Amino acid sequence: MAAVQVAGSLPGAQVRDVPQEPPPEQGIGFRCLSARLCALRPDDSSSARTEIHLLFDQLISENYSEGGGVTPEDVSALLVQACRLVPLNQNHLVSKVSQLIHHLLNRLQVIVDEQNLDFLLAYTISAIQQCSSWTHMEILQALAALVYCNGSKCQKYLPDLLGKSGILMKLSDSAHPDPEVRRAAVHCMANLCLSVPGQPYLEEPYPNICFQAFLTTLQSPKSSDMDDITFCMLLQNALKGIQSLLNGGKMKLTQTEELGALLAVLKKSMFHGLPGLNIELPTVLYPTPLPQYDGRPPVKPLQSETSASRPTVTRACALQVLSAILEGSKQFLSVAEDTSDHRRAFTPFSVMIASSIRELHRCLLLALVAESSSQTLTQIIKCLANLVSNSPYNRLKLSLLTKVWNQIKPYIRHKDVNVRVSSLTLLGAIVSTHAPLPEVQLLLQQPCSSGLSNSNSATPHLSDWWKKAPLGPFLEEASVSSPKGSSEPCWLIRLCISTVVLPKEDSCSSSDAGCVAGSTYEPSPMRLEALQVLAHLARGYFSMAQVYLMELGEVICKCMGEADPSIQLHGAKLLEELGTGLIQQYKPDSTIASDQRVPVTVVVMFWTMMLNGPLPRALQNSEHPTLQASSCDALSSILPEAFSDLPSDRQILCITMLLGLNDSKNRLVKAATSRALGVYVLFPCLRQDVIFVADTANAILMSLQDKSLNVRAKAAWSLGNLTDTLIVNMETPDPSFQEEFSGLLLLKMLRSAIDASRDKDKVKSNAVRALGNLLHFLQPSHIEKPRFAEIIEESIQALISTVLNEAAMKVRWNACYAVGNVFKNPALPLGTAPWTSQAYDALTSVVTSCKNFKVRIRSATALSIPSKREQYGSAGQYVQIWNALVTALQKSEDTTDFLEFKYCASLRTQICQALVHLLSLASASDLSCIRETLELNGDMVQSFLLQFLKSGAEGDDTGAPHGLGERDQMVRIALEHISSIQGLAGDSAKRTIMDFLEDTLTIYFDSSGSQVMLLGLTNR
């Protein structure tokens, strides 16, 4: 089979963000997949065939909801490339590429340009003519998407489509055996007739040909092999086509017979689907001429006293519309709030929204009980899932989720697989929304059989799990040291595990899409959805999932050992979520009691099982690079405390595989590997290993040169982490690491970081972080060498430039932080080097004028780092810094951005600390200028100093002391320093500054009632 192969490419998966890692850029997934598609070439190997199927599946499953960064030109070019790579004699690939065309054009609302349209139309028309009939449905859907609003550009293909022997004429004929294909053909014709203002319309005789085809469709009765929904959709497509002809196309019905026939079918369509009505209308219905002055009573319209309910198709359409409205409504619905009783003269908007949410729940749950159609049931459940995903349950009264939970449980065992899959999707939405919610926690602890029907179904009964799934060797060993947890098993975890690993109790039904002949398991969509629910539970309710850690480990091993790449990928994703949950338990700020954590010994057993299982094989599986990338993500989620206790050969295996995969030519695999190395370099057991750190540095520097922005962004983040490790190693008593670390490698790292600081913001943000750390790490032995002088100067200039540039907030914040790190290195000539004034000028400019207050805070912090007066340079430089901080204090509330107001207190706190720090280092030559400032702005400065002394700003992440005693101690130290300065004869500046500080402390101690401190000042 002629498929395609990427020259050395390995598709990868998106990587979960961790703190400090740049967020994924909108559209990055599409661009990466598009780049891989452009590298494909024809190849007949089975691995290449699998590769292109996976690539198309990834493109179809990519999240395009925001559509950011994906242009119509990109989409059109990708589709042309995809078609060029799929020969028409390969039916399965033609079907898949047709699905891709239909999905991308509809999801991204793209209208293909004329040049690419010409190629794609020729391809799809040839595909219908040459491919097997079972592919026609997908090809026609692709054709309909291509010709949408493009009718005027399809003129040269109209004979092939609408001629006497045209494919659309044949496939839309009432005698065609496949009703779905017939409906799709009519849909294509309707889209052809859709006009765009300002563009020419279809040339004659094709408008009339389409009209006759639509009219014939409307006149034809429903065939016995056509279901009601398909027939309704067929009629709707024909009606839309006629509407386009009459409205946009300005078609005139000159023949009376045509008008009469159309009126007859339109009147008949008005009553379509109403129960109890059997209306016989003539094939031609002529309009009744009305007199100019009509005094006759109006003719009574046809009436029915039957209470007509809406037909199934209408309900399904209404549900689709409601789902579309709910999708992406989270921000709007987030204002809802009804947790307390509102007794006011008016109803707040938040309460009105909450009431609407409750009503939506009530109506959809009523519809769920009343519905009998499996297709509509699926729509109702999907609509509920959208509602659950977007509702703010943390702001609503309890019981809404409980009602949904209890009502959906029986549908997990429904005979239709689509209903079962959508039910699991809804449960997944419940356990992922605003997790963890106490209400959901209680629901998860319900007894296993609560609310579940015992009727026959395609899923095994939950209570049978205990008999069918004996403990494996790892489970028996781990059960002794498991953490404390609920003795009641979590029925949802049990359900999902059994769905994934246990054989079905009955054979596949005809409705079980995805059930392979001879398969003993649940259909693939069910198993995939169950794995996703397990991943949601691991992320939001890890305390429940941790009880099943070793069982889930065996599930993962089974999934990653299967042949289905989708099952393998979801197994790897579940492993990553479990690993992340374990890491969260052991973070320093974790509130989980030590006896509630999974013991490190059990975590070691868990990862030993993974590394002795299919995980290494998945990491080395170059035929499925998507799996490689996901496995890298999973491997990076290992608990550092557990890694250090792994057998040495398993540690070496992890490191060796990651360093080897960093050479991958596939950019997503390379990005995942770069990120994983950035995680490992922070491990306490590895960070002092000079050889590992050096190997990791060389690998990261290589990735920083990659053409892919995503790879460079991950590499820059990892370089920032690696340089954090250098700083941590500086603080250890043993100097051997600094001595053994290569100076040449440091030069290479500095050069790469400088180059990366000129890259896109996603790269630049961490590049400047790395520069600051590297300059902080440099030892006197490095700085003394001439070859370091030039690169030090260039590095500092790169930081200064980034501080001043109007870049993203995170970039400038990191740049200010980096400059502060530079100031911490006592070996650098701060205060005497030419770059000193440039660095201070940049920081003072930011602290007084930057629109973002968090950046101002960080610049004020950097200005308070130098520990010696000489590091602030000349008296003029010192005074410039002092005056800038006073000005910044004055302007600390000047902002038009409401979001910045919450940082005002933190900004003032940090500026006050910087001013007090400067006073504690002042020299005699600085005093006169300080006095001038205090004479002009003393009252303002004093009021903010008093605030600084009285309270610590909440949410202050600036590093300023929070303790009240620490703050007044800083001011007292500054006062003692000023009093110790030998002032110039006749200069009153010293006395003025001392009076200012004493007065400030007196007011503070007087207001706080600290008589001892007040007495101390009086004695002074």
Side-chain angles (χ1 to χ4, degrees):
M1 171 178 283
V4 290
Q5 176 182 347
V6 183
S9 76
L10 303 167
Q14 289 184 344
V15 182
R16 285 192 59 209
D17 288 337
V18 296
Q20 297 181 336
E21 185 175 1
E25 185 182 38
Q26 291 184 3
I28 190 68
F30 176 90
R31 287 197 294 276
C32 291
L33 294 170
S34 179
R36 288 168 49 200
L37 195 68
C38 291
L40 298 173
R41 63 173 182 267
D43 183 28
D44 286 327
S45 67
S46 61
S47 62
R49 183 167 64 254
T50 303
E51 183 71 12
I52 191 172
H53 272 291
L54 280 174
L55 183 53
F56 283 176
D57 283 339
Q58 289 174 47
L59 282 163
I60 292 172
S61 62
E62 183 71 13
N63 180 12
Y64 300 108
S65 58
E66 297 180 1
V70 181
T71 66
E73 293 78 11
D74 294 338
V75 175
S76 299
L78 179 141
L79 295 178
V80 168
Q81 174 69 0
C83 290
R84 283 178 175 152
L85 296 166
V86 177
L88 295 178
N89 62 343
Q90 307 302 328
N91 288 318
H92 287 280
L93 285 176
V94 170
S95 174
K96 186 60 65 73
V97 80
S98 298
Q99 293 174 32
L100 179 64
I101 294 171
H102 173 254
H103 179 79
L104 289 184
L105 295 185
N106 279 284
R107 188 62 188 265
L108 296 174
Q109 299 291 297
V110 171
I111 297 175
V112 182
D113 60 276
E114 190 166 359
Q115 180 179 355
N116 290 318
L117 178 68
D118 187 68
F119 174 88
L120 293 170
L121 280 178
Y123 181 87
T124 50
I125 291 171
S126 299
I128 293 178
Q129 292 169 341
Q130 298 179 36
C131 293
S132 301
S133 59
W134 66 265
T135 66
H136 288 177
M137 181 64 190
E138 285 80 10
I139 300 172
L140 285 171
Q141 288 179 334
L143 181 60
L146 287 169
V147 301
Y148 182 80
C149 289
N150 268 330
S152 61
K153 302 173 185 175
C154 304
Q155 301 288 357
K156 75 175 185 177
Y157 295 102
L158 293 181
D160 294 324
L161 296 170
L162 301 174
K164 286 186 178 180
S165 58
I167 56 177
L168 293 183
M169 303 307 294
K170 288 181 179 179
L171 297 177
S172 65
D173 191 90
S174 59
H176 194 279
D178 190 334
E180 285 286 351
V181 170
R182 182 183 169 203
R183 181 198 62 76
V186 174
H187 185 209
C188 285
M189 295 172 66
N191 281 4
L192 265 174
C193 296
L194 188 62
S195 65
V196 178
Q199 292 187 6
Y201 201 61
L202 296 182
E203 295 176 355
E204 291 295 340
Y206 298 110
N208 192 58
I209 290 174
C210 290
F211 177 84
Q212 293 299 331
F214 296 143
L215 192 60
T216 302
T217 300
L218 292 169
Q219 290 172 333
S220 302
K222 183 172 80 72
S223 59
S224 59
D225 60 342
M226 183 180 291
D227 61 66
D228 291 336
I229 291 182
T230 303
F231 185 57
C232 283
M233 294 175 71
L234 176 67
L235 298 182
Q236 286 177 347
N237 288 330
L239 288 167
K240 287 178 182 177
I242 289 179
Q243 183 183 19
S244 295
L245 287 171
L246 296 177
N247 287 347
K250 310 298 182 185
M251 181 179 177
K252 305 297 182 184
L253 298 180
T254 57
Q255 300 296 323
T256 306
E257 291 76 11
E258 291 180 342
L259 178 59
L262 178 59
L263 288 174
V265 295
L266 290 178
K267 188 162 187 178
K268 183 180 179 181
S269 299
M270 288 169 59
F271 301 100
H272 178 80
L274 294 178
L277 292 181
N278 186 13
I279 304 169
E280 293 294 335
L281 292 175
T283 55
V284 177
L285 186 66
Y286 296 106
T288 303
L290 295 176
Q292 186 175 1
Y293 304 99
D294 190 0
R296 295 171 296 172
V299 180
K300 292 184 179 180
L302 183 62
Q303 296 177 348
S304 168
E305 296 186 8
T306 305
S307 179
S309 63
R310 294 176 179 172
T312 302
V313 66
T314 307
R315 291 198 299 277
C317 290
L319 287 162
Q320 289 175 355
V321 172
L322 181 56
S323 285
I325 293 172
L326 289 171
E327 191 172 351
S329 63
K330 181 172 288 186
Q331 185 175 0
F332 174 73
L333 296 181
S334 66
V335 303
E337 199 271 328
D338 72 345
T339 53
S340 58
D341 292 329
H342 294 274
R343 297 179 180 178
R344 305 180 187 175
F346 65 95
T347 303
F349 181 67
S350 59
V351 176
M352 294 170 61
I353 297 298
S355 178
S356 298
I357 292 173
R358 285 197 306 273
E359 184 64 14
L360 279 170
H361 280 77
R362 188 185 71 83
C363 291
L364 286 172
L365 291 177
L366 285 175
L368 187 68
V369 174
E371 189 56 62
S372 58
S373 164
S374 294
Q375 292 93 332
T376 312
L377 265 178
T378 303
Q379 290 291 340
I380 293 171
I381 297 171
K382 287 181 177 178
C383 195
L384 271 169
N386 263 340
L387 177 60
V388 168
S389 297
N390 291 283
S391 296
Y393 294 100
N394 55 327
R395 295 167 57 88
L396 301 174
K397 289 180 180 177
L398 299 179
S399 81
L400 281 180
L401 283 176
T402 301
K403 291 174 182 176
V404 176
W405 183 277
N406 291 334
Q407 208 154 314
I408 199 59
K409 280 171 120 180
Y411 293 92
I412 299 169
R413 309 176 62 80
H414 196 276
K415 63 181 179 180
D416 187 279
V417 69
N418 294 314
V419 176
R420 300 204 303 273
V421 171
S422 58
S423 299
L424 274 178
T425 303
L426 175 53
L427 288 170
I430 291 173
V431 299
S432 61
T433 184
H434 298 282
L437 288 174
E439 182 179 4
V440 176
Q441 190 90 26
L442 291 173
L443 292 171
L444 288 168
Q445 293 170 351
Q446 285 181 349
C448 281
S449 58
S450 175
L452 287 172
S453 167
N454 289 327
S455 59
N456 291 331
S457 71
T459 49
H461 197 278
L462 296 179
S463 60
D464 294 340
W465 163 261
W466 305 100
K467 302 174 184 177
K468 295 181 179 180
L471 293 176
F474 280 105
L475 302 185
E476 293 172 356
E477 188 176 348
S479 61
V480 179
S481 55
S482 293
K484 294 179 182 179
S486 171
S487 59
E488 183 65 48
C490 177
W491 71 267
L492 184 55
I493 293 179
R494 287 294 180 192
L495 168 71
C496 292
I497 292 176
S498 64
T499 301
V500 174
V501 303
L502 287 187
K504 291 180 59 173
E505 290 188 341
D506 58 355
S507 59
C508 294
S509 67
S510 58
S511 63
D512 278 5
C515 185
V516 182
S519 172
T520 60
Y521 294 108
E522 280 285 336
S524 181
M526 275 290 290
R527 301 180 72 206
L528 293 174
E529 201 63 46
L531 285 168
Q532 288 193 35
V533 174
L534 287 173
H536 290 320
L537 286 164
R539 186 185 308 121
Y541 298 89
F542 188 77
S543 61
M544 304 287 294
Q546 72 181 49
V547 181
Y548 304 87
L549 181 65
M550 300 306 293
E551 280 179 82
L552 291 172
E554 293 198 351
V555 171
I556 292 166
C557 287
K558 174 175 174 50
C559 290
M560 295 188 70
E562 291 193 18
D564 185 344
S566 298
I567 298 291
Q568 291 177 302
L569 285 170
H570 281 74
K573 184 64 177 175
L574 175 57
L575 174 57
E576 182 189 358
E577 293 293 353
L578 289 171
T580 303
L582 291 166
I583 290 172
Q584 295 296 329
Q585 284 195 336
Y586 280 86
K587 280 195 169 181
D589 58 352
S590 174
T591 58
I592 300 172
S594 58
D595 64 341
Q596 296 296 320
R597 300 174 184 174
V598 178
V600 174
T601 54
V602 176
V603 182
V604 172
M605 290 166 54
F606 175 80
W607 278 105
T608 301
M609 175 168 57
M610 296 298 106
L611 293 169
N612 289 339
L615 180 58
R617 189 164 61 250
L619 284 161
Q620 296 169 328
N621 190 350
S622 58
E623 291 187 0
H624 298 299
T626 308
L627 180 61
Q628 283 184 295
S630 292
S631 300
C632 281
D633 298 337
L635 197 62
S636 68
S637 68
I638 188 169
L639 181 70
E641 292 86 341
F643 183 88
S644 62
D645 287 347
L646 285 174
S648 58
D649 63 328
R650 299 297 88 182
Q651 294 184 21
I652 294 170
L653 175 67
C654 294
I655 295 169
T656 304
M657 286 191 295
L658 288 178
L659 289 172
L661 282 174
N662 195 71
D663 294 328
S664 170
K665 294 181 181 178
N666 180 274
R667 291 169 182 173
L668 289 180
V669 174
K670 197 166 187 176
T673 308
S674 295
R675 176 186 172 276
L677 287 170
V679 173
Y680 274 49
V681 80
L682 295 175
F683 284 4
C685 64
L686 293 178
R687 64 188 177 209
Q688 288 191 317
D689 185 333
V690 177
I691 296 176
F692 169 72
V693 174
D695 288 344
T696 300
N698 283 311
I700 291 170
L701 295 184
M702 182 177 69
S703 296
L704 271 176
Q705 308 302 316
D706 198 90
K707 294 180 180 179
S708 167
L709 174 60
N710 193 33
V711 173
R712 298 199 306 276
K714 302 299 181 187
W717 177 80
S718 294
L719 181 62
N721 283 7
L722 188 146
T723 56
D724 285 344
T725 286
L726 299 183
I727 301 303
V728 171
N729 288 340
M730 283 179 65
E731 298 167 359
T732 60
D734 185 4
S736 59
F737 183 92
Q738 294 96 298
E739 295 169 357
E740 294 176 20
F741 197 78
S742 166
L744 183 61
L745 183 55
L746 275 176
L747 282 171
K748 288 172 61 179
M749 292 168 70
L750 283 166
R751 169 52 54 200
S752 293
I754 291 169
D755 294 340
S757 72
R758 304 186 183 108
D759 206 329
K760 303 289 186 182
D761 282 354
K762 289 181 65 176
V763 180
K764 186 185 300 184
S765 174
N766 285 293
V768 293
R769 176 165 73 103
L771 273 178
N773 283 336
L774 288 168
L775 291 170
H776 183 190
F777 179 78
L778 289 179
Q779 306 301 304
S781 59
H782 299 130
I783 298 171
E784 293 166 359
K785 296 177 181 177
R787 61 180 178 177
F788 272 91
E790 183 179 346
I791 202 152
I792 289 173
E793 173 71 23
E794 194 175 347
S795 299
I796 293 174
Q797 292 300 329
L799 291 178
I800 293 170
S801 173
T802 308
V803 169
L804 293 172
N805 285 344
E806 290 295 327
M809 179 277 291
K810 183 176 181 180
V811 175
R812 299 186 75 185
W813 190 97
N814 275 4
C816 291
Y817 185 89
V819 173
N821 263 341
V822 175
F823 291 173
K824 292 177 181 178
N825 190 340
L828 290 172
L830 177 63
T832 57
W835 49 261
T836 299
S837 60
Q838 294 173 283
Y840 284 130
D841 288 349
L843 292 173
T844 53
S845 172
V846 168
V847 80
T848 56
S849 61
C850 183
K851 294 179 181 179
N852 187 282
F853 276 25
K854 291 180 78 173
V855 177
R856 287 198 204 183
I857 292 168
R858 181 46 61 189
S859 63
T861 305
L863 287 170
S864 63
I865 286 176
S867 58
K868 299 177 180 178
R869 170 60 188 86
E870 53 266 28
Q871 291 179 317
Y872 282 102
S874 65
Q877 183 73 66
Y878 176 95
V879 171
Q880 180 190 349
I881 298 169
W882 170 268
N883 288 336
L885 287 168
V886 172
T887 302
L889 197 59
Q890 265 182 317
K891 298 167 65 175
S892 60
E893 290 183 346
D894 295 350
T895 179
T896 56
D897 188 347
F898 175 77
L899 296 176
E900 296 299 325
F901 277 110
K902 62 183 177 181
Y903 300 113
C904 287
S906 295
L907 175 60
R908 289 193 292 270
T909 296
Q910 192 57 55
I911 293 174
C912 287
Q913 178 182 335
L915 287 171
V916 174
H917 177 71
L918 282 170
L919 284 173
S920 67
L921 298 177
S923 64
S925 59
D926 303 324
L927 299 184
S928 60
C929 293
I930 295 173
R931 180 191 60 185
E932 291 176 11
T933 306
L934 292 178
E935 287 173 349
L936 289 173
N937 300 292
D939 291 342
M940 181 272 296
V941 174
Q942 188 177 72
S943 66
F944 285 124
L945 275 177
L946 288 170
Q947 288 182 26
F948 169 72
L949 290 169
K950 289 177 182 178
S951 64
E954 292 184 5
D956 183 0
D957 61 349
T958 63
H962 285 269
L964 304 184
E966 293 179 60
R967 295 188 179 185
D968 64 60
Q969 179 67 19
M970 290 174 59
V971 179
R972 288 201 304 273
I973 290 172
L975 175 58
E976 290 171 1
H977 172 74
I978 296 294
S979 66
S980 67
I981 295 175
Q982 295 297 323
L984 301 176
D987 187 358
S988 61
K990 173 181 174 180
R991 184 68 260 169
T992 301
I993 298 170
M994 289 181 62
D995 288 345
F996 171 82
L997 291 175
E998 289 175 350
D999 187 43
T1000 302
L1001 287 170
T1002 300
I1003 295 172
Y1004 167 65
F1005 290 136
D1006 187 44
S1007 64
S1008 63
S1010 181
Q1011 298 300 321
V1012 175
M1013 294 297 182
L1014 189 59
L1015 182 61
L1017 283 174
T1018 305
N1019 292 339
R1020 182 190 304 277

